[in-house]
Amino acid sequence: MDNSDGKRVSLEEEWNSTTTHDAASEETRNEPTSHRRDDTHAMVYGVQDRPPWFSIILMGGQHFAISFSACFALPLIVAGPMCFDLDRDLLNRLVGTVFFITGLTTFLQTCFGTRLPIIQGPSVAFMLPAMVLFGLKGPCPAPLTANSTMEERAEVREIAFERIQELQGSICLASLAQVILGVTGLVGVLLRFVRPITIAITLIFIILPIMPMASDACGTHWGIASMTIFLIILFSQFLDRYQIPLPRGNRFAIFTFFPILLAVAISWIVCLILTEMRVLPDDPDAYGYQARTDIYGDVINDAAWFRVPYPGQFGVPTVSLAGFIGMFSGVIASVVESVGDYHACALISESPPPPVHAINRGVLMEGVGCITAGLWGAPFGYTSWSFNISAISLTKDASRWSAYAAAAFFAFSGIFFKFSAFCVSLPQPIVGGIMATTFGIVCSIGFANLAFVKVNTSRNLFIIGFAIFMGVGLPDFLIKNPGAIATGAPILDQVLKVILGSNMFIGGLSACVLDNLVRGTPEEKGINWRTEMSASYSSRPDKNGSQEEEEEIYCYDFPLGMNWIRRTPWLKYLPVSPTFVGFRRRHQQLPRIVTDTSSNELSETFRDLGNTEQSVRCRHSPV
């Protein structure tokens, strides 16, 4: 690999330099830690970086380990109303399809969408309208038994196929709106009204409603969950600066890269020992039973070895008005969530904020992913997963190659179903420990967006407080009073219940409306927050303290064909093109992001702080 000075760098030297942070200076490496600049919480691998192959596999596996439980649990929740839990073979096919589509959509998003290391997964925003839709169909038949006749099995499959076909068609049709939003650039136009306060409130309410899931999982055995939480905190926050020696004088920051995998492995071994020693109860109703490692043995035995999902495996999709309206509300909520996730991932991975064309492509690829999910038979639309974004801050790895590896793991597990069945044997308290340590980081990222506005004003304090109240109060009222919405039109009731019952949608909408209507100064509104965030990553000095004359951001470009795209003038008017200039008059030009240190106060701040080794992570590599 060639460095910026044109010298040849070996893989070992590159790996050693990234793990020690100061490999270029022997004196600095030998100094006491207290005399060195504190960069232990900075990203080790940026979006454009390519870690060693074994690190890519392990960190991709860590993303997979964080997400697989949700990929398995969410389809099980809707399997009952869909009547899929009555037939074990149908249920295995459904779960395998969810895993396979997760890998496919993650690859599409990371390679052609925003180009950020964002894992795609089933969206909870589609779950509530799906449950309401299935509730209109009436109860399922009696469960099948070993003595069930072929006619009974055929009847169950006919009902199950009818329900998922309607769900498939509704998801596909509603997701066309998401594709249109991305292709036409309307999402970018709407972003003019979405500012840091709206993004902060949206990110906070992405996690708050599902916090009880983490506490419920931890509650199955607080001892195991507490041990998992303690190990993750120990490895990621206290031991992250320590490295283990490797042959030939190299060192490896194992605690920096794999805090979650190490904690899960140790906790699983403890659960295995307690299970074999019969310390954990074998009564399903007893406390601590969910910590056993042998609960899902029948799932592994019943699963097929190989099964390749294909479009139309459950029949031809159908469409209904009620299903379309319900799924369309899920699409709107998913778009709002995803826009916040894009900015959160850029912020936590130390990358520039995603430009308009990257957001347009991200929404476009999510729409394509939702249509793919509908055609293949997944019972959800797909969206960005926040807890994988939060894991980036723990592992210090924001490389998109890790996301590629995670996509490969998901796709492989969807085909080799024995593997995915083995993964779901992870005890619940360990899953709860992972959730407890990762969910809170997303809320913190939401609060971090408030750094770009002047918070301590009566205007912003009112908007934030009122948005939080509405996001919590209104959905809680509807839960306690399910009959409060009764317009006489069942379809309208369904739409209102879905929209008004979403904490994220109500909180984010309240913040967005007030932030745009209530007068305030540019500092209070954070109108220039994207420029300020871009400057913080485009004007950092290099390790020698000198600045390049001009430094452009390339990390949101396509992996191929950029020379042709830049030579083609008309592509700058295409909203998903990396050369998109926006819908502006001809004499108006978008400012280029350059490293003009003479006029940038932020670069002076970095120089005064002595951060002479910071560099723009999200930059085009000459390799």
Side-chain angles (χ1 to χ4, degrees):
M1 177 179 292
D2 294 332
N3 60 13
S4 59
D5 298 327
K7 297 179 181 180
R8 195 74 182 172
V9 181
S10 66
L11 179 61
E12 295 177 0
E13 291 173 345
E14 179 194 2
W15 175 250
N16 194 36
S17 64
T18 56
T19 54
T20 58
H21 307 288
D22 292 310
S25 173
E26 190 66 29
E27 293 183 3
T28 304
R29 189 188 312 154
N30 293 331
E31 289 181 5
T33 305
S34 59
H35 290 81
R36 281 184 269 154
R37 179 176 55 85
D38 184 15
D39 60 354
T40 56
H41 297 286
M43 287 292 112
V44 176
Y45 290 116
V47 174
Q48 290 281 82
D49 295 333
R50 183 174 182 175
W53 63 269
F54 57 86
S55 182
I56 292 175
I57 294 175
L58 291 176
M59 284 183 281
Q62 184 163 251
H63 277 297
F64 175 80
I66 295 172
S67 308
F68 77 83
S69 58
C71 274
F72 186 80
L74 291 180
L76 291 183
I77 296 175
V78 299
M82 283 197 309
C83 308
F84 266 64
D85 60 339
L86 306 180
D87 190 323
R88 173 64 65 175
D89 181 65
L90 287 181
L91 184 58
N92 289 342
R93 290 167 61 183
L94 184 68
V95 174
T97 301
V98 170
F99 273 90
F100 181 79
I101 299 299
T102 299
L104 181 60
T105 54
T106 297
F107 174 78
L108 291 175
Q109 182 66 260
T110 307
C111 190
F112 303 106
T114 59
R115 302 278 289 154
L116 291 170
I118 299 178
I119 305 298
Q120 301 289 290
S123 174
V124 181
F126 292 86
M127 181 182 298
L128 180 58
M131 300 286 281
V132 175
L133 179 64
F134 296 142
L136 300 176
K137 302 295 182 180
C140 293
L144 297 177
T145 64
N147 298 324
S148 297
T149 63
M150 296 298 296
E151 290 76 11
E152 292 174 337
R153 294 181 182 274
E155 180 184 0
V156 167
R157 293 207 168 195
E158 181 180 356
I159 295 175
F161 285 175
E162 178 184 352
R163 298 192 177 198
I164 196 171
Q165 287 166 9
E166 183 176 355
L167 182 62
Q168 290 179 247
S170 301
I171 291 175
C172 290
L173 185 60
S175 299
L176 287 176
Q178 197 169 2
V179 172
I180 293 174
L181 286 175
V183 170
T184 59
L186 291 178
V187 174
V189 175
L190 294 177
L191 284 180
R192 299 178 183 178
F193 306 98
V194 178
R195 302 190 184 107
I197 291 180
T198 303
I199 294 176
I201 296 298
T202 301
L203 289 175
I204 290 170
F205 279 114
I206 287 174
I207 294 300
L208 284 182
I210 61 177
M211 282 290 189
M213 294 176 56
S215 60
D216 292 342
C218 291
T220 57
H221 197 294
W222 276 105
I224 300 297
S226 300
M227 178 182 63
T228 306
I229 294 172
F230 170 77
L231 291 175
I232 293 177
I233 295 176
L234 177 67
F235 296 149
S236 64
Q237 304 299 323
F238 294 96
L239 301 181
D240 56 331
R241 67 183 63 191
Y242 296 101
Q243 304 166 9
I244 62 173
L246 295 177
R248 305 180 66 178
N250 293 326
R251 302 178 68 84
F252 178 55
I254 186 172
F255 301 113
T256 298
F257 292 113
F258 311 118
I260 297 177
L261 279 182
L262 290 174
V264 169
I266 295 174
S267 299
W268 189 87
I269 292 174
V270 172
C271 290
L272 177 62
I273 294 174
L274 295 178
T275 301
E276 295 298 325
M277 296 179 64
R278 299 184 179 180
V279 175
L280 298 174
D282 54 5
D283 182 6
D285 297 327
Y287 174 80
Y289 174 77
Q290 293 295 327
R292 296 182 64 91
T293 57
D294 58 355
I295 297 177
Y296 299 103
D298 58 333
V299 176
I300 300 175
N301 295 330
D302 296 340
W305 279 100
F306 293 97
R307 189 186 300 275
V308 180
Y310 55 91
Q313 58 181 327
F314 300 122
V316 179
T318 60
V319 180
S320 68
L321 180 60
F324 166 74
I325 295 177
M327 294 302 110
F328 182 76
S329 64
V331 166
I332 298 301
S334 177
V335 170
V336 175
E337 175 186 356
S338 296
V339 171
D341 284 340
Y342 300 157
H343 288 86
C345 185
L347 181 62
I348 203 171
S349 61
E350 300 181 358
S351 300
V356 173
H357 64 79
I359 296 176
N360 291 338
R361 292 200 310 271
V363 175
L364 168 62
M365 284 298 107
E366 287 197 8
V368 172
C370 291
I371 294 176
T372 303
L375 294 176
W376 259 258
F380 301 98
Y382 276 69
T383 189
S384 303
W385 270 3
S386 305
F387 39 87
N388 285 92
I389 297 175
S390 63
I392 294 175
S393 67
L394 297 178
T395 62
K396 311 299 187 298
D397 169 55
S399 172
R400 64 170 62 101
W401 286 93
S402 299
Y404 292 151
F409 274 112
F410 278 112
F412 174 74
S413 63
I415 298 174
F416 182 41
F417 198 58
K418 283 286 187 182
F419 179 72
S420 59
F422 171 78
C423 291
V424 300
S425 63
L426 193 67
Q428 278 298 303
I430 299 180
V431 177
I434 297 174
M435 293 180 179
T437 51
T438 56
F439 281 4
I441 298 178
V442 179
C443 287
S444 301
I445 297 171
F447 287 114
N449 282 273
L450 297 177
F452 298 99
V453 299
K454 190 176 182 179
V455 181
N456 58 340
T457 63
S458 59
R459 173 193 184 272
N460 287 348
L461 291 176
F462 169 75
I463 293 176
I464 294 172
F466 182 77
I468 292 177
F469 166 76
M470 290 298 296
V472 174
L474 184 56
D476 181 69
F477 171 78
L478 294 179
I479 292 176
K480 296 178 179 178
N481 301 273
I485 298 179
T487 63
I491 296 178
L492 181 59
D493 291 347
Q494 174 186 344
V495 174
L496 292 177
K497 288 179 180 179
V498 171
I499 294 178
L500 300 180
S502 173
N503 308 79
M504 176 186 60
F505 183 82
I506 294 299
L509 180 64
S510 301
C512 184
V513 171
L514 291 177
D515 192 30
N516 285 277
L517 293 182
V518 179
R519 64 179 180 273
T521 64
E523 292 78 14
E524 289 178 321
K525 293 184 176 182
I527 293 178
N528 299 321
W529 72 279
R530 289 174 58 83
T531 304
E532 295 176 6
M533 191 176 179
S534 299
S536 66
Y537 298 107
S538 62
S539 61
R540 295 180 181 177
D542 61 20
K543 64 182 180 180
N544 294 321
S546 61
Q547 288 282 347
E548 296 179 2
E549 187 177 16
E550 186 176 280
E551 192 173 87
E552 296 179 307
I553 302 303
Y554 290 99
C555 65
Y556 296 104
D557 288 352
F558 287 130
L560 298 172
M562 284 307 304
N563 290 333
W564 176 80
I565 291 175
R566 293 191 179 96
R567 291 195 306 265
T568 308
W570 61 268
L571 286 178
K572 66 182 179 180
Y573 301 107
L574 187 64
V576 296
S577 172
T579 58
F580 179 58
V581 296
F583 300 109
R584 299 168 184 266
R585 295 176 182 175
R586 231 176 239 189
H587 66 275
Q588 290 180 320
Q589 297 293 333
L590 284 175
R592 299 182 71 185
I593 299 176
V594 298
T595 56
D596 184 5
T597 56
S598 61
S599 61
N600 196 314
E601 297 179 359
L602 191 58
S603 63
E604 295 291 337
T605 303
F606 277 117
R607 191 180 299 113
D608 293 339
L609 292 175
N611 291 344
T612 58
E613 294 177 11
Q614 291 283 356
S615 60
V616 178
R617 289 281 186 185
C618 200
R619 224 173 10 176
H620 177 69
S621 173
V623 179

